Amino acid sequence: MHEPVSVDVEKVTLSFGNNKVLDGINVTVKPGEFFALLGPSGCGKSTLLRLIAGFNRAQSGRVRVAGEDISDMPPWKRNVGMVFQSYALWPHMSVAQNVAFGLEEKHLPREAVRRGVAKALELVGLTELAARKPGQISGGQQQRVALARTLAIEPRVLLLDEPLSNLDAQLRHHMRRELVALQRRLGITTIFVTHDQEEALTTADRMAVMDKGVIQQIGTPVELFDTPVSRFVAEFIGSVNILRGSIVGGAGGDARFSSSAGEFGVPAGEENHSSGEISVAFRPHALLIARQDADRDPLRAWLSAKVTEREFLGEFVRYRLQAGDTELLADIPHRHGDEGFANGASVMAGIDPAQMRIFTG
């Protein structure tokens, strides 16, 4: 394989008629990085991937690979490999013939094609299935054939457009681990499109969250989970509780957040959100539940609530709480012998202030 390369997308804008699909996209993928594009359907992530591959053309902006401007190159000259969501395998060809296709298009000698096919199939662990047709192998094996066909041409960049979405949950988890292990072994710069937050969080070195053709935030999975820059990112990455209200009171530690669920003091420095509606976001694991008559940690922000539902999930219990007109989720670790709180119980829900994020609007 080639030495790892960078990919730079600079000020890219793309429209289909009056529909602006990509709006001023700027993103840099580092050499050898596994980078995920995450977002809801229709946000532009697959369009951006196809643009890097050369199947879409931007009205403005540039795409560079290893510093080289490839914006005006046709797809077959970019040396960028793409694995499609549908796998796009030819059903009448054998596994080996499918993998050989890209090498034969390069008019390589027969022996070079044979060696390339053998190497690619060995990489994905399908050597023994070379003679079978796609219809004679499983979905996971078809995914690996599509990957082998792309890797056989030794691309500088590997592009993956939701390649696991057609697999069942258990196989998707297994293939995800195999895909990451292969990428680490090859060191190839990889850009992975998904709408599945778990896939992005567990595979990516860094990721970009997109919405309506705009990149909302770029960072490591931990950065995006712990410090989202907007309510959209907070709600899209993992489960989150949102309280809407406003800041009341003065400065000097007297400012409080007021909502229909109750009032509590805000972390130092957040009293500057003095006008208009704000949102306080926090993850379910940041909530602690206590009986109403129990001693409570004074450092937490406490709200009166009622248990409306509980789900035993093995390692933890997920509670749904009603606080005012707001539903809250609380993930409480399960301990042997702890019966927890019953449906209908009146409780106090305590929020860890260090886990709060405050957004305007």
Side-chain angles (χ1 to χ4, degrees), residues 311-317 332-335:
E311 298 175 275
F312 177 63
L313 300 175
E315 295 181 356
F316 64 92
V317 180
I332 307 300
H334 170 67
R335 293 178 175 82

Side-chain angles (χ1 to χ4, degrees), residues 51 54 56-58 61-64 68-74 78:
L51 184 140
N56 288 328
R57 301 292 291 271
R62 316 303 296 173
V63 177
R64 302 181 192 277
E68 177 187 12
D69 190 341
I70 64 169
S71 306
D72 298 321
M73 286 185 185
R78 297 189 178 199

Side-chain angles (χ1 to χ4, degrees), residues 56-91:
N56 288 328
R57 301 292 291 271
Q59 279 80 41
S60 62
R62 316 303 296 173
V63 177
R64 302 181 192 277
V65 174
E68 177 187 12
D69 190 341
I70 64 169
S71 306
D72 298 321
M73 286 185 185
W76 58 89
K77 288 189 176 181
R78 297 189 178 199
N79 199 10
V80 170
M82 186 163 177
V83 177
F84 297 92
Q85 181 177 355
S86 64
Y87 310 150
L89 301 178
W90 286 276

Side-chain angles (χ1 to χ4, degrees), residues 241 289 304-311 317-330 341-349:
N241 294 304
I289 304 177
S304 180
K306 178 172 287 190
V307 176
T308 60
E309 185 181 329
R310 54 175 285 166
E311 298 175 275
V317 180
R318 168 158 289 184
Y319 290 93
R320 294 185 184 274
L321 310 173
Q322 193 68 34
D325 61 3
T326 302
E327 182 179 79
L328 302 177
L329 296 178
F341 300 91
N343 286 345
S346 295
V347 297
M348 298 300 293

